[in-house]
Amino acid sequence: MDSNPEKSTPPSTQSPWGKVTQPATATTSLTEIMSEQLATDLHKKEVDKYTKSLLSDPFEKEVACYIAPETSDCENDLMIARMLQMQFDKEHDEGIKRTESKWNGTSKVTVSLDNFLVSGENDDDSDYEDDMDDRKRHWDTFEASEAAFPTIPKCGYTKPTEGKGIVTKHDITMANRRNACRVMEFPPEFQTGDGGGFDMRLSNQVFNSLKRHSKIDQGRRSKMHDKSELSTSEQAVDPQTRIMLHKWFDNGLLEGVRGIISTGKEAVILHAEGGKKEDGTQLPKNCAVKVFKTTMNEFKERDKYIRNDYRFRDKFTKQNCRKMIELWAEKELRNLIRMKNAGLRCPAVAHLKKHVLVMEMISDSRGPAPKLKDVVLSDAELSVAYEQVIEFVKGMYQKAGLIHADLSEYNILWCEGDCWFIDVGQAVEPRHPGARTFLYRDCTNICTFFRRKGLPNVLSPDELFKQVTGLNDDPKKCIEDAVLEQQIKEFERDEELLAHQEPRNHYPFEHCWQKSLEENKASKEAAGLSSHTVEVEATKT
Ligand code: ADP
Ligand code: MN
């Protein structure tokens, strides 16, 4: 179909009585349809194969427990509608507030339009005892009856008229009518029934009981309000992520967002209260929700290397960038699971969907644990921290088969006397061509930090590198030596194979990850940067 009807409409159709010439319809050849069908079938076969191989691998099984299944977009429609409504309500209220302040200006006498607000911000909690000087209300018949009572002057009572006794603010009839009025003022969600048309009176006891229930109800609602408001935390993430979070509040996965822990270049970390998964698994009470930034703008670092590469100019669309970041999030999840299984101190993962990773928050009674760089440690504590970090680098390499690749006092948290290790999206296996470079850099960061802190007998980076890898040669030589060259060649050959062949018995993640590495590497080379410089830039946070 032609997407621009105006251009293609022949002049004759511009008059309703003119002769209509049919525009030529585009045809699709049978071979095209067939090849598309074939591609779909092949894809499905591959996926089936992967799924089968998945079931036999315990690690993949474990990973699968945390990854949310793909859902259809329709499910989001309700959430989108709700968010639009919320946005609409918010704008409506802002409009009301603007009108109010325009009317009032600097005048001492002000008009309040609070009754017209829809977001429930104006819920009045004041008790009924102190309501004598409340604003006038005039919306129901029994209210009119109340108004028929003489107004009570400052002295607190009115003089008897026509044989009636003194009327004070404690007059039973009056108080009961007032109670009825106030019940009518409970938030609209609270079912009070219709009090119009008769002289309704409520005793204090009934009123208090209703008030108590209304408050409980309101508490529940304001909790829900909290969830949907997300206040400033919400501003930190993009609309797609917001929809996802709302959905999680709705289905109980999360109970509410408590605030922002950190906003970095590449991720926003929120503090949320964990709820329950659909299968009943309980999430940790305090969760850290890591939202990887997905837009090109925020990923300038990467964009820089990709934009200059002619091969990716068209290919590296926004969509591709999103996919790569989702892979990055999945990589962090996998690395965390591997670390946990190796007995290392890292956050337990809880859930992953697209670019949002939910994990346990490392925290003490005061909140999220501080970074090692921000705490003041006693000599003894410093020494404990050092021992733990050295143990970690060794354990990470020898037990988890990983190199952190961004290890520093910024990515170590200090919690109740222990070091916890985070931010492992970039961690790589020792077979990665850059592995030794990264490991050596990690060692240098650690040794420098503890030496700077004044700890005696800190290992040299070379010595630490040797202890971790078990290689006795000079590490610098190690990094550059022939073995590594060989590894690089093998790695590149692997990549080439992966790029041109259907991977056999590989989970798609590995395949996709290799490909994204390849793309990244190629773009870095195109930008004329060594992998080291790029990694340093990309991981410095
Ligand atoms: P990045 O450095 O890429 O922005 P990190 O994973 O390092 O992302 O998280 C940034 C900061 O958020 C950390 O330095 C830490 O202070 C905090 N943080 C991240 N994850 C957790 C967690 N699980 N528990 C407590 N704090 C966390
Ligand atoms: Mn970090």
Side-chain angles (χ1 to χ4, degrees):
M1 282 298 282
D2 200 318
S3 59
N4 192 346
E6 254 167 39
K7 250 191 199 164
S8 65
T9 310
S12 58
T13 58
Q14 278 170 6
S15 151
W17 294 277
K19 207 175 156 221
V20 179
T21 41
Q22 289 293 331
T25 38
T27 53
T28 316
S29 76
L30 183 62
T31 19
E32 257 178 74
I33 298 171
M34 293 282 283
S35 63
E36 217 171 278
Q37 184 70 47
L38 190 67
T40 319
D41 285 353
L42 278 174
H43 177 74
K44 194 173 172 305
K45 254 187 212 157
E46 275 311 312
V47 171
D48 287 350
K49 211 161 71 187
Y50 292 139
T51 324
K52 246 185 225 151
S53 69
L54 265 180
L55 288 174
S56 58
D57 184 337
F59 180 73
E60 293 301 342
K61 248 192 213 166
E62 192 177 353
V63 170
C65 291
Y66 297 109
I67 301 182
E70 290 283 327
T71 47
S72 76
D73 286 344
C74 309
E75 273 183 50
N76 283 337
D77 287 356
L78 177 65
M79 287 318 299
I80 294 169
R82 280 196 192 154
M83 286 189 60
L84 283 173
Q85 183 66 50
M86 261 164 44
Q87 185 64 24
F88 181 78
D89 289 352
K90 200 169 142 227
E91 279 168 20
H92 171 270
D93 284 1
E94 281 165 6
I96 297 278
K97 285 278 172 207
R98 266 199 304 278
T99 313
E100 191 183 281
S101 68
K102 204 167 123 197
W103 277 358
N104 291 336
T106 52
S107 165
K108 278 183 186 160
V109 182
T110 57
V111 176
S112 166
L113 299 179
D114 283 358
N115 282 344
F116 295 94
L117 298 177
V118 289
S119 68
E121 275 164 25
N122 187 44
D123 295 340
D124 177 12
D125 263 350
S126 63
D127 260 329
Y128 82 105
E129 279 85 359
D130 53 27
D131 77 336
M132 278 316 282
D133 41 27
D134 268 8
R135 278 171 276 141
K136 276 263 174 238
R137 295 157 202 134
H138 30 79
W139 37 253
D140 231 325
T141 32
F142 64 88
E143 170 104 13
S145 318
E146 190 208 26
F149 263 84
T151 37
I152 312 254
K154 273 222 168 91
C155 63
Y157 62 91
T158 52
K159 300 251 161 62
T161 48
E162 299 151 25
K164 281 185 187 168
I166 287 177
V167 177
T168 70
K169 73 169 190 169
H170 300 294
D171 177 89
I172 292 283
T173 320
M174 200 173 163
N176 289 358
R177 280 181 179 147
R178 200 164 54 235
N179 286 343
C181 274
R182 292 200 53 99
V183 165
M184 286 295 121
E185 287 205 336
F186 284 178
E189 314 85 56
F190 192 76
Q191 300 293 324
T192 52
D194 186 7
F198 62 96
D199 185 15
M200 181 163 76
R201 297 172 207 177
L202 290 177
S203 73
N204 284 357
Q205 199 190 355
V206 172
F207 173 82
N208 283 336
S209 155
L210 281 172
K211 177 86 186 172
R212 206 167 43 246
H213 278 95
S214 153
K215 269 197 174 157
I216 294 169
D217 190 54
Q218 246 180 298
R220 234 189 340 254
R221 273 168 210 282
S222 89
K223 199 173 160 202
M224 281 163 64
H225 195 65
D226 265 10
K227 286 183 207 165
S228 48
E229 264 292 294
L230 282 182
S231 62
T232 42
S233 326
E234 192 176 72
Q235 304 310 313
V237 298
D238 64 323
Q240 201 220 356
T241 313
R242 245 175 278 169
I243 291 178
M244 209 140 99
L245 292 176
H246 280 275
K247 214 170 154 184
W248 287 351
F249 297 139
D250 246 34
N251 65 21
L253 188 79
L254 295 182
E255 290 283 326
V257 164
R258 299 275 159 264
I260 303 173
I261 304 176
S262 147
T263 46
K265 267 193 314 234
E266 295 181 3
V268 175
I269 322 281
L270 304 172
H271 171 194
E273 198 178 309
K276 250 190 197 148
K277 283 192 185 194
E278 273 168 13
D279 64 7
T281 335
Q282 183 71 44
L283 259 57
K285 175 107 182 69
N286 288 305
C287 289
V289 180
K290 184 164 183 176
V291 181
F292 290 80
K293 294 194 178 171
T294 50
T295 54
M296 272 294 190
N297 264 355
E298 270 109 13
F299 257 86
K300 279 200 191 84
E301 273 348 62
R302 286 148 206 244
D303 184 33
K304 216 164 39 194
Y305 312 121
I306 288 150
R307 210 176 15 198
N308 300 332
D309 188 332
Y310 70 94
R311 291 177 310 154
F312 299 111
R313 214 171 341 190
D314 306 319
K315 223 171 98 186
F316 217 87
T317 58
K318 214 173 181 172
Q319 210 52 43
N320 272 331
C321 190
R322 222 172 226 290
K323 275 283 162 243
M324 184 161 158
I325 290 146
E326 286 172 18
L327 283 176
W328 193 264
E330 188 175 332
K331 194 161 177 264
E332 175 140 14
L333 172 102
R334 288 167 172 270
N335 288 341
L336 283 171
I337 297 174
R338 263 166 93 152
M339 287 161 70
K340 208 36 139 199
N341 290 346
L344 303 168
R345 251 190 312 272
C346 66
V349 291
H351 192 69
L352 171 76
K353 179 150 184 171
K354 293 180 185 284
H355 59 291
V356 184
L357 175 62
V358 185
M359 62 186 127
E360 162 197 21
M361 182 173 92
I362 306 304
S363 59
D364 54 27
S365 53
R366 283 163 298 173
K371 299 181 185 73
L372 196 57
K373 82 166 180 73
D374 293 326
V375 286
V376 181
L377 301 179
S378 68
D379 288 352
E381 284 173 326
L382 194 66
S383 171
V384 168
Y386 173 73
E387 292 301 329
Q388 288 190 352
V389 174
I390 301 294
E391 271 313 296
F392 169 79
V393 186
K394 288 182 187 166
M396 186 80 164
Y397 189 93
Q398 293 158 7
K399 293 188 198 141
L402 287 170
I403 287 142
H404 188 292
D406 193 17
L407 190 64
S408 72
E409 60 276 24
Y410 287 78
N411 285 327
I412 302 172
L413 303 180
W414 180 255
C415 187
E416 292 172 339
D418 283 319
C419 287
W420 290 77
F421 302 87
I422 59 161
D423 201 2
V424 291
Q426 69 295 314
V428 295
E429 294 183 347
R431 72 182 190 109
H432 186 282
R436 289 181 190 183
T437 317
F438 302 150
L439 177 62
Y440 192 74
R441 197 178 60 208
D442 284 354
C443 294
T444 313
N445 289 342
I446 292 311
C447 299
T448 313
F449 172 75
F450 284 102
R451 193 165 298 156
R452 218 179 48 229
K453 285 280 169 188
L455 188 77
N457 306 322
V458 173
L459 287 176
S460 70
D462 281 21
E463 188 50 38
L464 180 55
F465 183 92
K466 282 181 191 172
Q467 287 189 13
V468 171
T469 56
L471 298 165
N472 281 320
D473 288 342
D474 171 23
K476 288 196 183 66
K477 200 176 140 281
C478 260
I479 290 168
E480 290 152 11
D481 74 6
V483 185
L484 185 64
E485 282 300 310
Q486 185 57 34
Q487 274 194 349
I488 293 174
K489 276 200 195 107
E490 268 175 26
F491 190 83
E492 281 172 347
R493 203 171 52 229
D494 269 1
E495 280 187 320
E496 211 168 312
L497 280 174
L498 282 164
H500 297 292
Q501 256 183 19
E502 290 296 337
R504 272 174 304 139
N505 255 351
H506 266 93
Y507 173 65
F509 172 79
E510 299 298 341
H511 175 62
C512 298
W513 183 248
Q514 300 288 7
K515 284 202 75 122
S516 76
L517 279 182
E518 180 194 70
E519 287 180 8
N520 222 5
K521 205 171 121 216
S523 49
K524 278 171 202 165
E525 279 164 14
L529 287 149
S530 79
S531 74
H532 184 82
T533 348
V534 174
E535 280 295 332
V536 173
E537 276 193 43
T539 55
K540 216 190 287 162
T541 338

